[in-house]
Amino acid sequence: MVHLSNEEKAAVTSLWGKVNVEETGGEALGRLLVVYPWTQRFFEHFGDLSSPSAIMGNPKVKAHGAKVLASFSEGLNHLDNLKGTFAKLSELHCDKLHVDPENFRLLGNVIVIVLAHHHGHDLTPTVQAAFQKVVAGVAHALGHKYH
Amino acid sequence: MSLTNSERAIITTIWDKISTQADVIGTETLERLFSSYPQTKTYFPHFDLHPGSPQLRAHGSKVMAALGDAVKNIDNVEVALTKLSELHAYVLRVDPVNFKLLSHCLLVTLAAHFPADLSAEVHAAWDKFLSLVSSILTEKYR
């Protein structure tokens, strides 16, 4: 569960309302794969990941990034029950996908950087702090069912 | 971990842009750090950490000046940061986890101030550089 004040919830909702979830998702996943190349281990079947421009332009990366962020976006509607909301996805990432939860923390921070990149004026230190709580909460929820 | 020639070029080019606003960037980075990660304030009980505080501004400038030194000596960052490395190991003893937090907040600040410049490639080079600086600053810890 993420503890956001009413002001923080309002700030998160307000900024998220301006976000193009599809594009932001593609960019965030792309940057994850560029900045932390070892994360490419999960996406060998995605085709050309040979350079930053190949990665950022890769249609599978964009599509998967959009999917991931749409799921994250749904989580924003359930900040009081992130563990419940992401329970099934947590099991999937553990049992089928075998993803180290550290990757959720990495991606969460990349999402914040992409938000700063596109909405620098709106992502004040206070708003960033609220988002850091959200991404940490989502990462924690996604790791919760690991065994 | 060492920087490629291409990464060094990216880092120095971006630094030339950043350095004109170093104080602003440094101060904002620290503000973001203390807002998002309040536990980091435990290292500054002697500071007034309110936004606009002269101590915050001075410290932000100090951090940026050190980064500037590292950039100027990008072929030999270890030597440039020797004294700071010793300071952090024997005197300040800031837990290593905090360097990642500071690096992240600097990247957020750069992305907000220089959106046109922070491509994925530049983001990667700077993340790596900050990681290198962090490991040098903590390498004498034990």
Tab-separated table of all heavy atoms in Angstrom, chain A residues 31 34-36 52 56 102 109-110 112-113 116-117 120-121 123-126 128-130 132, chain B residues 28 31-32 35-37 100 104-105 107-108 111-112 114-116 118-121 123-124 127:
chain	number	residue	atom	x	y	z
A	31	ARG	N	14.617	3.051	-23.068
A	31	ARG	CA	15.722	3.609	-22.277
A	31	ARG	C	16.250	2.576	-21.279
A	31	ARG	O	17.454	2.496	-21.024
A	31	ARG	CB	15.290	4.874	-21.540
A	31	ARG	CG	15.280	6.099	-22.447
A	31	ARG	CD	14.772	7.342	-21.746
A	31	ARG	NE	14.657	8.452	-22.681
A	31	ARG	CZ	15.556	9.438	-22.792
A	31	ARG	NH1	16.634	9.464	-22.018
A	31	ARG	NH2	15.389	10.413	-23.680
A	34	VAL	N	18.582	0.465	-23.164
A	34	VAL	CA	19.791	1.195	-23.589
A	34	VAL	C	20.717	1.460	-22.401
A	34	VAL	O	21.921	1.213	-22.468
A	34	VAL	CB	19.423	2.545	-24.266
A	34	VAL	CG1	20.658	3.414	-24.487
A	34	VAL	CG2	18.715	2.304	-25.585
A	35	VAL	N	20.126	1.969	-21.328
A	35	VAL	CA	20.937	2.407	-20.189
A	35	VAL	C	21.471	1.226	-19.387
A	35	VAL	O	22.577	1.258	-18.858
A	35	VAL	CB	20.129	3.367	-19.280
A	35	VAL	CG1	20.943	3.814	-18.076
A	35	VAL	CG2	19.686	4.596	-20.079
A	36	TYR	N	20.672	0.160	-19.285
A	36	TYR	CA	21.058	-1.044	-18.535
A	36	TYR	C	21.003	-2.244	-19.469
A	36	TYR	O	20.066	-3.043	-19.420
A	36	TYR	CB	20.117	-1.229	-17.334
A	36	TYR	CG	19.954	0.024	-16.500
A	36	TYR	CD1	18.769	0.754	-16.528
A	36	TYR	CD2	21.000	0.506	-15.720
A	36	TYR	CE1	18.622	1.924	-15.793
A	36	TYR	CE2	20.868	1.674	-14.990
A	36	TYR	CZ	19.684	2.378	-15.024
A	36	TYR	OH	19.555	3.543	-14.302
A	52	PRO	N	21.452	2.051	-29.622
A	52	PRO	CA	20.378	2.859	-29.013
A	52	PRO	C	19.269	3.206	-30.002
A	52	PRO	O	18.088	3.091	-29.676
A	52	PRO	CB	21.112	4.123	-28.558
A	52	PRO	CG	22.499	3.660	-28.271
A	52	PRO	CD	22.787	2.596	-29.293
A	56	MET	N	15.406	2.127	-29.586
A	56	MET	CA	14.340	3.137	-29.388
A	56	MET	C	13.314	3.071	-30.515
A	56	MET	O	12.153	3.408	-30.328
A	56	MET	CB	14.921	4.545	-29.275
A	56	MET	CG	15.878	4.782	-28.111
A	56	MET	SD	15.270	4.282	-26.481
A	56	MET	CE	14.054	5.574	-26.173
A	102	GLU	N	14.625	-6.523	-9.043
A	102	GLU	CA	15.442	-5.306	-9.140
A	102	GLU	C	15.110	-4.553	-10.430
A	102	GLU	O	15.179	-3.319	-10.492
A	102	GLU	CB	16.936	-5.662	-9.088
A	102	GLU	CG	17.884	-4.487	-9.206
A	102	GLU	CD	17.712	-3.433	-8.127
A	102	GLU	OE1	17.166	-3.753	-7.033
A	102	GLU	OE2	18.088	-2.266	-8.375
A	109	ASN	N	12.410	3.938	-11.995
A	109	ASN	CA	13.215	5.159	-12.043
A	109	ASN	C	13.341	5.704	-13.456
A	109	ASN	O	13.370	6.920	-13.664
A	109	ASN	CB	14.602	4.918	-11.440
A	109	ASN	CG	14.580	5.017	-9.924
A	109	ASN	OD1	13.696	5.643	-9.349
A	109	ASN	ND2	15.549	4.387	-9.269
A	110	VAL	N	13.402	4.810	-14.436
A	110	VAL	CA	13.455	5.286	-15.825
A	110	VAL	C	12.141	5.987	-16.179
A	110	VAL	O	12.142	7.019	-16.847
A	110	VAL	CB	13.744	4.132	-16.810
A	110	VAL	CG1	13.625	4.606	-18.255
A	110	VAL	CG2	15.140	3.575	-16.572
A	112	VAL	N	10.308	7.701	-14.191
A	112	VAL	CA	10.384	9.047	-13.597
A	112	VAL	C	11.245	9.966	-14.459
A	112	VAL	O	10.908	11.133	-14.689
A	112	VAL	CB	10.928	8.988	-12.146
A	112	VAL	CG1	11.185	10.381	-11.602
A	112	VAL	CG2	9.946	8.252	-11.251
A	113	ILE	N	12.348	9.435	-14.973
A	113	ILE	CA	13.217	10.258	-15.824
A	113	ILE	C	12.491	10.639	-17.112
A	113	ILE	O	12.591	11.778	-17.580
A	113	ILE	CB	14.556	9.544	-16.098
A	113	ILE	CG1	15.386	9.535	-14.819
A	113	ILE	CG2	15.323	10.227	-17.226
A	113	ILE	CD1	16.697	8.781	-14.918
A	116	ALA	N	10.214	13.411	-16.369
A	116	ALA	CA	10.963	14.672	-16.255
A	116	ALA	C	11.305	15.204	-17.636
A	116	ALA	O	11.268	16.406	-17.896
A	116	ALA	CB	12.240	14.462	-15.452
A	117	HIS	N	11.613	14.295	-18.518
A	117	HIS	CA	12.014	14.644	-19.867
A	117	HIS	C	10.883	15.345	-20.613
A	117	HIS	O	11.098	16.312	-21.335
A	117	HIS	CB	12.414	13.349	-20.589
A	117	HIS	CG	13.158	13.573	-21.857
A	117	HIS	ND1	12.928	12.846	-23.001
A	117	HIS	CD2	14.132	14.439	-22.175
A	117	HIS	CE1	13.736	13.260	-23.960
A	117	HIS	NE2	14.474	14.215	-23.486
A	120	GLY	N	9.003	18.386	-17.591
A	120	GLY	CA	9.954	18.926	-16.625
A	120	GLY	C	9.365	19.966	-15.694
A	120	GLY	O	9.624	19.963	-14.502
A	121	HIS	N	8.531	20.850	-16.262
A	121	HIS	CA	7.969	21.917	-15.420
A	121	HIS	C	7.007	21.380	-14.379
A	121	HIS	O	6.878	21.935	-13.300
A	121	HIS	CB	7.246	22.956	-16.286
A	121	HIS	CG	8.171	23.713	-17.176
A	121	HIS	ND1	9.231	24.448	-16.684
A	121	HIS	CD2	8.230	23.832	-18.514
A	121	HIS	CE1	9.884	24.992	-17.693
A	121	HIS	NE2	9.310	24.630	-18.814
A	123	LEU	N	7.078	18.241	-13.136
A	123	LEU	CA	7.690	17.292	-12.189
A	123	LEU	C	8.608	18.027	-11.220
A	123	LEU	O	9.825	17.871	-11.234
A	123	LEU	CB	8.450	16.185	-12.935
A	123	LEU	CG	8.672	14.946	-12.060
A	123	LEU	CD1	7.440	14.062	-12.044
A	123	LEU	CD2	9.880	14.133	-12.540
A	124	THR	N	7.973	18.816	-10.349
A	124	THR	CA	8.720	19.518	-9.306
A	124	THR	C	9.265	18.483	-8.321
A	124	THR	O	8.838	17.319	-8.347
A	124	THR	CB	7.780	20.454	-8.532
A	124	THR	OG1	6.792	19.634	-7.880
A	124	THR	CG2	7.122	21.470	-9.437
A	125	PRO	N	10.180	18.899	-7.442
A	125	PRO	CA	10.669	17.948	-6.442
A	125	PRO	C	9.538	17.270	-5.651
A	125	PRO	O	9.603	16.070	-5.404
A	125	PRO	CB	11.542	18.833	-5.532
A	125	PRO	CG	12.080	19.882	-6.454
A	125	PRO	CD	10.957	20.162	-7.418
A	126	THR	N	8.503	18.035	-5.305
A	126	THR	CA	7.409	17.442	-4.519
A	126	THR	C	6.635	16.411	-5.330
A	126	THR	O	6.268	15.349	-4.824
A	126	THR	CB	6.426	18.554	-4.077
A	126	THR	OG1	7.186	19.638	-3.564
A	126	THR	CG2	5.488	18.056	-3.009
A	128	GLN	N	7.795	14.784	-7.944
A	128	GLN	CA	8.687	13.638	-8.149
A	128	GLN	C	8.635	12.720	-6.932
A	128	GLN	O	8.565	11.494	-7.065
A	128	GLN	CB	10.134	14.081	-8.383
A	128	GLN	CG	11.079	12.883	-8.546
A	128	GLN	CD	12.543	13.230	-8.459
A	128	GLN	OE1	12.941	14.394	-8.507
A	128	GLN	NE2	13.395	12.214	-8.347
A	129	ALA	N	8.678	13.325	-5.745
A	129	ALA	CA	8.673	12.523	-4.514
A	129	ALA	C	7.425	11.635	-4.460
A	129	ALA	O	7.495	10.469	-4.075
A	129	ALA	CB	8.747	13.431	-3.292
A	130	ALA	N	6.279	12.195	-4.871
A	130	ALA	CA	5.044	11.399	-4.887
A	130	ALA	C	5.167	10.247	-5.878
A	130	ALA	O	4.796	9.106	-5.582
A	130	ALA	CB	3.850	12.288	-5.246
A	132	GLN	N	7.927	8.836	-6.899
A	132	GLN	CA	8.893	7.841	-6.420
A	132	GLN	C	8.186	6.860	-5.482
A	132	GLN	O	8.467	5.668	-5.502
A	132	GLN	CB	10.084	8.488	-5.704
A	132	GLN	CG	10.961	9.404	-6.552
A	132	GLN	CD	11.801	8.706	-7.633
A	132	GLN	OE1	12.382	9.347	-8.517
A	132	GLN	NE2	11.886	7.395	-7.600
B	28	GLU	N	18.924	22.068	-7.245
B	28	GLU	CA	17.683	21.333	-7.520
B	28	GLU	C	17.869	19.833	-7.303
B	28	GLU	O	16.971	19.159	-6.800
B	28	GLU	CB	17.225	21.591	-8.960
B	28	GLU	CG	15.853	20.986	-9.247
B	28	GLU	CD	15.363	21.312	-10.643
B	28	GLU	OE1	15.552	22.468	-11.090
B	28	GLU	OE2	14.786	20.412	-11.286
B	31	GLU	N	17.541	19.274	-3.686
B	31	GLU	CA	16.133	19.422	-3.272
B	31	GLU	C	15.353	18.168	-3.601
B	31	GLU	O	14.546	17.675	-2.819
B	31	GLU	CB	15.480	20.601	-4.000
B	31	GLU	CG	15.741	21.938	-3.340
B	31	GLU	CD	15.212	23.111	-4.149
B	31	GLU	OE1	14.410	22.890	-5.085
B	31	GLU	OE2	15.616	24.249	-3.829
B	32	ARG	N	15.587	17.645	-4.798
B	32	ARG	CA	14.883	16.423	-5.210
B	32	ARG	C	15.288	15.245	-4.326
B	32	ARG	O	14.457	14.424	-3.941
B	32	ARG	CB	15.176	16.121	-6.683
B	32	ARG	CG	14.510	17.092	-7.651
B	32	ARG	CD	14.795	16.747	-9.094
B	32	ARG	NE	14.195	17.712	-10.013
B	32	ARG	CZ	12.900	17.699	-10.389
B	32	ARG	NH1	12.090	16.796	-9.923
B	32	ARG	NH2	12.449	18.619	-11.219
B	35	SER	N	13.614	15.567	-0.946
B	35	SER	CA	12.155	15.376	-1.036
B	35	SER	C	11.797	13.914	-1.230
B	35	SER	O	10.928	13.371	-0.560
B	35	SER	CB	11.575	16.141	-2.225
B	35	SER	OG	11.474	17.492	-1.944
B	36	SER	N	12.449	13.272	-2.211
B	36	SER	CA	12.093	11.889	-2.546
B	36	SER	C	12.643	10.893	-1.547
B	36	SER	O	12.063	9.831	-1.347
B	36	SER	CB	12.610	11.526	-3.937
B	36	SER	OG	11.809	12.115	-4.923
B	37	TYR	N	13.790	11.208	-0.971
B	37	TYR	CA	14.477	10.256	-0.088
B	37	TYR	C	14.840	10.947	1.223
B	37	TYR	O	16.003	11.261	1.484
B	37	TYR	CB	15.727	9.702	-0.797
B	37	TYR	CG	15.422	9.184	-2.187
B	37	TYR	CD1	15.819	9.890	-3.327
B	37	TYR	CD2	14.688	8.007	-2.380
B	37	TYR	CE1	15.514	9.436	-4.602
B	37	TYR	CE2	14.375	7.554	-3.646
B	37	TYR	CZ	14.787	8.264	-4.750
B	37	TYR	OH	14.471	7.822	-6.012
B	100	LYS	N	23.579	6.199	-5.465
B	100	LYS	CA	22.624	5.897	-6.544
B	100	LYS	C	21.451	6.871	-6.499
B	100	LYS	O	20.939	7.295	-7.547
B	100	LYS	CB	22.070	4.464	-6.370
B	100	LYS	CG	23.002	3.400	-6.842
B	100	LYS	CD	22.276	2.052	-6.994
B	100	LYS	CE	23.286	0.994	-7.385
B	100	LYS	NZ	22.726	-0.322	-7.515
B	104	HIS	N	20.476	9.433	-9.474
B	104	HIS	CA	19.133	9.423	-10.068
B	104	HIS	C	18.537	10.824	-10.060
B	104	HIS	O	18.014	11.298	-11.086
B	104	HIS	CB	18.238	8.446	-9.307
B	104	HIS	CG	16.798	8.497	-9.731
B	104	HIS	ND1	16.368	8.165	-10.998
B	104	HIS	CD2	15.682	8.866	-9.058
B	104	HIS	CE1	15.052	8.307	-11.079
B	104	HIS	NE2	14.611	8.736	-9.919
B	105	CYS	N	18.645	11.522	-8.943
B	105	CYS	CA	18.056	12.863	-8.852
B	105	CYS	C	18.764	13.843	-9.790
B	105	CYS	O	18.131	14.754	-10.344
B	105	CYS	CB	18.086	13.362	-7.417
B	105	CYS	SG	16.895	12.473	-6.383
B	107	LEU	N	20.057	12.979	-12.702
B	107	LEU	CA	19.544	12.657	-14.033
B	107	LEU	C	18.145	13.213	-14.242
B	107	LEU	O	17.816	13.717	-15.322
B	107	LEU	CB	19.539	11.141	-14.249
B	107	LEU	CG	20.912	10.507	-14.471
B	107	LEU	CD1	20.796	8.993	-14.473
B	107	LEU	CD2	21.531	10.991	-15.768
B	108	VAL	N	17.299	13.143	-13.222
B	108	VAL	CA	15.948	13.712	-13.319
B	108	VAL	C	16.054	15.220	-13.571
B	108	VAL	O	15.367	15.774	-14.433
B	108	VAL	CB	15.125	13.434	-12.039
B	108	VAL	CG1	13.818	14.210	-12.051
B	108	VAL	CG2	14.840	11.948	-11.903
B	111	ALA	N	17.192	15.866	-17.096
B	111	ALA	CA	16.109	15.587	-18.052
B	111	ALA	C	15.096	16.725	-18.062
B	111	ALA	O	14.580	17.107	-19.122
B	111	ALA	CB	15.419	14.266	-17.710
B	112	ALA	N	14.831	17.282	-16.899
B	112	ALA	CA	13.848	18.370	-16.805
B	112	ALA	C	14.389	19.657	-17.432
B	112	ALA	O	13.648	20.407	-18.061
B	112	ALA	CB	13.473	18.615	-15.341
B	114	PHE	N	17.170	19.938	-19.641
B	114	PHE	CA	17.761	19.811	-20.977
B	114	PHE	C	17.093	18.707	-21.778
B	114	PHE	O	17.759	17.778	-22.238
B	114	PHE	CB	19.275	19.533	-20.861
B	114	PHE	CG	20.034	20.561	-20.071
B	114	PHE	CD1	20.377	20.321	-18.748
B	114	PHE	CD2	20.383	21.777	-20.645
B	114	PHE	CE1	21.075	21.273	-18.002
B	114	PHE	CE2	21.085	22.733	-19.911
B	114	PHE	CZ	21.429	22.475	-18.594
B	115	PRO	N	15.769	18.808	-21.973
B	115	PRO	CA	15.065	17.702	-22.632
B	115	PRO	C	15.606	17.396	-24.024
B	115	PRO	O	15.679	16.238	-24.418
B	115	PRO	CB	13.607	18.180	-22.690
B	115	PRO	CG	13.632	19.636	-22.429
B	115	PRO	CD	14.853	19.920	-21.624
B	116	ALA	N	16.001	18.453	-24.753
B	116	ALA	CA	16.469	18.221	-26.117
B	116	ALA	C	17.784	17.446	-26.135
B	116	ALA	O	18.118	16.793	-27.124
B	116	ALA	CB	16.650	19.545	-26.843
B	118	LEU	N	18.869	15.175	-23.633
B	118	LEU	CA	18.971	13.908	-22.915
B	118	LEU	C	18.342	12.753	-23.686
B	118	LEU	O	17.380	12.133	-23.243
B	118	LEU	CB	18.380	14.029	-21.507
B	118	LEU	CG	19.217	13.198	-20.527
B	118	LEU	CD1	20.452	13.958	-20.068
B	118	LEU	CD2	18.407	12.784	-19.326
B	119	SER	N	18.973	12.439	-24.824
B	119	SER	CA	18.555	11.256	-25.588
B	119	SER	C	18.882	10.006	-24.774
B	119	SER	O	19.581	10.080	-23.756
B	119	SER	CB	19.337	11.199	-26.904
B	119	SER	OG	20.712	10.988	-26.614
B	120	ALA	N	18.426	8.862	-25.263
B	120	ALA	CA	18.697	7.599	-24.564
B	120	ALA	C	20.206	7.357	-24.458
B	120	ALA	O	20.709	6.909	-23.419
B	120	ALA	CB	18.019	6.443	-25.297
B	121	GLU	N	20.919	7.708	-25.534
B	121	GLU	CA	22.365	7.473	-25.544
B	121	GLU	C	23.087	8.347	-24.514
B	121	GLU	O	24.005	7.910	-23.828
B	121	GLU	CB	22.891	7.825	-26.937
B	121	GLU	CG	24.079	7.014	-27.346
B	121	GLU	CD	24.457	7.282	-28.795
B	121	GLU	OE1	23.591	7.790	-29.540
B	121	GLU	OE2	25.607	6.994	-29.150
B	123	HIS	N	21.672	9.717	-21.862
B	123	HIS	CA	21.192	9.213	-20.570
B	123	HIS	C	22.065	8.045	-20.131
B	123	HIS	O	22.541	7.986	-18.981
B	123	HIS	CB	19.712	8.835	-20.756
B	123	HIS	CG	19.041	8.160	-19.603
B	123	HIS	ND1	17.699	7.834	-19.641
B	123	HIS	CD2	19.470	7.732	-18.405
B	123	HIS	CE1	17.353	7.242	-18.522
B	123	HIS	NE2	18.400	7.161	-17.748
B	124	ALA	N	22.329	7.125	-21.068
B	124	ALA	CA	23.149	5.947	-20.749
B	124	ALA	C	24.566	6.356	-20.366
B	124	ALA	O	25.127	5.864	-19.377
B	124	ALA	CB	23.171	4.982	-21.930
B	127	ASP	N	24.543	8.068	-16.942
B	127	ASP	CA	24.250	7.100	-15.865
B	127	ASP	C	25.518	6.306	-15.554
B	127	ASP	O	25.877	6.097	-14.386
B	127	ASP	CB	23.105	6.172	-16.296
B	127	ASP	CG	22.602	5.297	-15.151
B	127	ASP	OD1	23.335	4.388	-14.703
B	127	ASP	OD2	21.472	5.510	-14.685
